Amino acid sequence: SSQAVHTFVAFDVEIAARCPLRVCAVGAGYFVDGAELTSFESLVRVDSPVHYQSIHGLSAEDLASAPRWPDVWAKLRPILTNGADVVAFRAAFDRGTLLATLAQHGLRAPRLNFVCVAHLAEQRLGKRLRLHEYLDELCIPFPGTPHTPLADARAAAALYLALLR
């Protein structure tokens, strides 16, 4: 019997502010049987001061010419198909941020099944680490620059796939 094809979307958001919540960057990769088939990454324009620059390295200048959320969502939406499994490192944060941002713009959220890789890793490996530390532990190179959304999404995917093996 042939095994079902395993598909999931690896996802990450970075924020510029918590109150009000403002997304400043997003990344997603669509994976089929462990291989990334397509990806999307974008900065997002925000109309409020940009915080957390020490984490994501993005400044107000970086975001000034970025597209606004509805335009970013139009390109991200085809990857986040209805019923998709969405893999993220701290999934509650990414899920909450995505749903709140869609609600702010009056956009309907697709039905998504979020999987928290941090929780999975903690259960399997018996310790609570940061994303790059889990990858180090499993001798997996970090796929790009940490705290850039697509690299973080790919890192979550790499950790997820390693934990499934």
Side-chain angles (χ1 to χ4, degrees):
S1 66
S2 67
Q3 260 194 313
V5 177
H6 181 219
T7 67
F8 67 89
V9 177
F11 181 73
D12 183 64
V13 291
E14 298 294 331
I15 61 169
R18 270 186 205 282
C19 288
L21 186 63
R22 294 287 179 260
V23 169
C24 61
V26 62
Y30 178 74
F31 286 77
V32 177
D33 285 341
E36 186 183 298
L37 250 57
T38 183
S39 66
F40 174 75
E41 183 173 42
S42 181
L43 297 177
V44 182
R45 190 143 117 214
V46 292
D47 302 318
S48 57
V50 176
H51 304 290
Y52 312 114
Q53 205 172 332
S54 61
I55 298 173
H56 51 58
L58 297 168
S59 66
E61 297 80 66
D62 295 324
L63 304 174
S65 60
R68 295 184 183 280
W69 177 260
D71 300 323
V72 172
W73 178 242
K75 297 197 170 96
L76 176 60
R77 178 72 181 83
I79 295 179
L80 289 175
T81 53
N82 220 35
D85 284 332
V86 181
V87 168
F89 187 65
R90 298 241 173 257
F93 170 78
D94 295 282
R95 178 180 181 276
T97 301
L98 176 64
L99 296 180
T101 303
L102 290 170
Q104 280 170 4
H105 292 87
L107 296 164
R108 261 191 79 205
R111 198 170 40 77
L112 301 168
N113 171 39
F114 277 81
V115 179
C116 183
V117 195
H119 181 70
L120 211 60
E122 206 173 318
Q123 283 184 315
R124 297 280 165 86
L125 304 174
K127 51 183 129 177
R128 187 182 171 92
L129 300 173
R130 291 185 302 189
L131 180 53
H132 71 91
E133 293 169 332
Y134 279 125
L135 292 187
D136 287 349
E137 182 107 343
L138 299 169
C139 301
I140 299 168
F142 198 95
T145 308
H147 299 296
T148 59
L150 188 53
D152 279 3
R154 286 173 172 155
L159 178 56
Y160 178 63
L161 290 165
L163 293 169
L164 292 185
R165 284 199 272 280

